[in-house]
């Protein structure tokens, strides 16, 4: 399908149409990609839904740790559903156009859910810190009311900031092109289309990333430094192994999510390449959410036991 590309002198209005190029440079793989992404989406939906179900109904999992895990799985479904259905639609129909309003809406929800993930991962690390470093006070500190407040705070924390950032970015004039060399509306490829100097907006993006990603990441580092220090002082090897096993899954998810996301958003605009941006974005928007249920399930005996009770026996 052919699309009209804007010239540099064209002025863009609110009614403009962007074009998500996505994987259009791989015309012979469109069918294969649609099958692969459909399977990945189903894995993400089924895997995270199973975690939500077992943490809700299994008595052994009625603990703060699994309450936050259920919230994280719910968030993963929302996070992936902002981008993957649109990718599949573009692959199935080969209609890659998207209105400015739809593009801004997609970016806003993507950023809000991404921010919520950052804060929820920090909350989950705090939960592990209290459980391991202050086990006697754990039931008192992480009571149901506190858990609900922390979860709600994580979900809503990014809403005002990311609405403001989205409005700021889409208040720019776009006159270089209307072709977005990406598979969803993300900040780096959108800034590339803006007219004139965007250095102020780049600084704004860095500030927001430091606020919504770096701060939670620092809180996670502080929590785990104290956790590791406490674990190393445990008298028995069995105790140390058990304590590490309750944290290793969460720590692996943190590294995967924050690592790829930080590289994407903290690189200068001049260092961004479409291929690298797509690869990194695929990693933290699709690949990591697909593996998260597996990481939490296969590395957690309680979750595996609950799954065995839920699934039909052979």
């Amino acid at each position: 399908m052919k699309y009209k590309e804007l010239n540099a002198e064209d002025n863009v209005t609110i009614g403009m149409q962007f074009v998500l190029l996505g994987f259009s440079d791989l015309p012979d793989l469109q069918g294969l990609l649609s099958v692969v992404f459909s399977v990945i989406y189903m894995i993400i939906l089924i895997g995270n839904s199973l975690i939500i179900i077992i943490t809700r109904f299994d008595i052994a999992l009625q603990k703060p740790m699994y309450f936050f895990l259920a919230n994280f799985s719910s968030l993963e479904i929302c996070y992936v559903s902002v981008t993957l259905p649109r990718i599949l639609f573009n692959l199935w129909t080969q209609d890659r156009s998207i209105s400015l309003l739809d593009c801004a809406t997609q970016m806003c929800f993507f950023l809000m859910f991404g921010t919520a993930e950052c804060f929820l991962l920090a909350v989950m690390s705090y939960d592990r810190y209290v459980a391991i470093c202050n086990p006697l006070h754990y039931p008192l500190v992480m009571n149901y009311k506190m858990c609900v407040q922390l979860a709600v705070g994580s979900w809503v924390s990014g809403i005002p900031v990311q609405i403001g950032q989205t409005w700021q970015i889409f208040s720019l004039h776009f006159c270089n092109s209307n072709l977005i060399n990406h598979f969803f509306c993300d900040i780096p490829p959108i800034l590339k289309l803006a007219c004139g100097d965007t250095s102020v907006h780049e600084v704004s993006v860095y500030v927001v990333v430091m606020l919504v990603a770096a701060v939670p990441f620092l809180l996670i580092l502080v929590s785990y430094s104290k956790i590791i220090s406490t674990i190393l002082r445990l008298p028995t090897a069995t105790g140390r192994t058990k304590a590490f096993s309750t944290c290793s899954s969460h720590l692996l998810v943190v590294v995967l999510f924050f690592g790829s996301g930080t590289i994407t958003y903290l690189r200068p605009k001049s260092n961004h390449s479409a291929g690298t941006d797509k690869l990194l974005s695929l990693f933290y928007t699709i690949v990591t959410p697909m593996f998260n249920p597996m990481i939490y399930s296969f590395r957690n005996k309680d979750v595996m036991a609950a799954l065995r009770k839920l699934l039909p026996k052979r």
Side-chain angles (χ1 to χ4, degrees):
M1 184 178 291
K2 299 292 185 182
Y3 296 98
K4 178 182 181 296
E5 181 176 3
L6 297 175
N7 297 318
E9 66 272 9
D10 290 339
N11 188 23
V12 175
T13 66
I14 192 69
M16 74 166 292
Q17 293 282 319
F18 285 121
V19 178
L20 289 166
L21 295 180
F23 305 98
S24 59
D25 55 339
L26 303 170
D28 297 332
L29 297 178
Q30 299 297 294
L32 176 62
L33 287 172
S34 65
V35 171
V36 169
F37 284 127
S38 296
V39 171
I40 289 175
Y41 193 38
M42 292 302 297
I43 291 173
I44 292 171
L45 292 179
I46 293 171
N48 285 288
S49 296
L50 279 175
I51 288 180
I52 294 169
I53 292 169
I54 63 174
T55 54
R56 175 67 178 84
F57 293 106
D58 195 288
I59 300 299
L61 302 184
Q62 301 303 304
K63 302 173 184 177
M65 174 182 177
Y66 300 109
F67 171 78
F68 293 126
L69 179 56
N71 273 270
F72 187 73
S73 294
S74 302
L75 190 54
E76 288 281 62
I77 292 173
C78 296
Y79 180 68
V80 171
S81 296
V82 173
T83 56
L84 248 181
R86 184 79 203 194
I87 295 172
L88 292 172
F89 174 81
N90 292 346
L91 288 170
W92 290 337
T93 66
Q94 295 300 301
D95 179 6
R96 305 180 189 278
S97 62
I98 183 171
S99 69
L100 185 144
L101 180 59
D102 288 346
C103 191
T105 302
Q106 184 186 53
M107 177 189 286
C108 188
F109 277 97
F110 175 77
L111 294 175
M112 287 192 298
F113 290 137
T115 300
E117 282 212 20
C118 292
F119 282 102
L120 191 56
L121 286 170
V123 166
M124 294 169 77
S125 69
Y126 174 70
D127 171 69
R128 292 298 82 207
Y129 159 73
V130 178
I132 293 173
C133 300
N134 297 289
L136 297 179
H137 295 97
Y138 182 69
L140 181 64
V141 174
M142 300 304 293
N143 57 67
Y144 180 74
K145 181 179 179 182
M146 174 60 74
C147 291
V148 171
Q149 289 175 341
L150 290 172
V152 171
S154 299
W155 278 89
V156 305
S157 56
I159 293 177
V161 174
Q162 299 301 357
I163 287 177
Q165 178 163 254
T166 303
W167 177 85
Q168 183 187 47
I169 290 172
F170 280 90
S171 65
L172 292 166
H173 293 290
F174 300 103
C175 55
N176 292 331
S177 173
N178 66 332
L179 303 182
I180 303 174
N181 195 4
H182 209 39
F183 54 86
F184 72 101
C185 293
D186 201 4
I187 293 176
I190 294 295
L191 282 179
K192 283 186 176 181
L193 306 184
C195 307
D197 184 18
T198 60
S199 57
V200 173
H201 294 81
E202 288 184 61
V203 172
S204 173
V205 171
Y206 295 150
V207 171
V208 172
V209 170
M210 294 300 290
L211 177 65
V212 304
V215 171
F217 186 66
L218 287 175
L219 292 174
I220 292 170
L221 288 180
V222 171
S223 295
Y224 273 101
S225 65
K226 293 182 179 295
I227 288 171
I228 293 171
S229 176
T230 301
I231 290 175
L232 293 177
R233 292 199 301 268
L234 293 176
T236 64
T238 304
R240 289 192 292 270
T241 301
K242 184 178 180 181
F244 270 122
S245 68
T246 64
C247 302
S248 57
S249 300
H250 178 256
L251 195 56
L252 181 57
V253 171
V254 167
V255 171
L256 291 173
F257 181 76
F258 279 97
S260 54
T262 300
I263 294 172
T264 299
Y265 288 103
L266 292 184
R267 280 158 48 231
K269 179 183 174 183
S270 57
N271 292 344
H272 282 270
S273 67
T276 304
D277 284 347
K278 287 181 184 179
L279 183 62
L280 288 170
S281 297
L282 274 175
F283 197 77
Y284 68 82
T285 60
I286 297 173
V287 177
T288 301
M290 179 180 67
F291 283 115
N292 284 347
M294 303 177 196
I295 292 171
Y296 278 112
S297 299
F298 296 149
R299 298 179 65 87
N300 189 299
K301 293 180 180 179
D302 292 337
V303 173
M304 287 301 294
L307 280 172
R308 280 193 289 269
K309 285 190 288 185
L310 177 68
L311 297 177
K313 295 181 179 180
R314 290 182 179 272

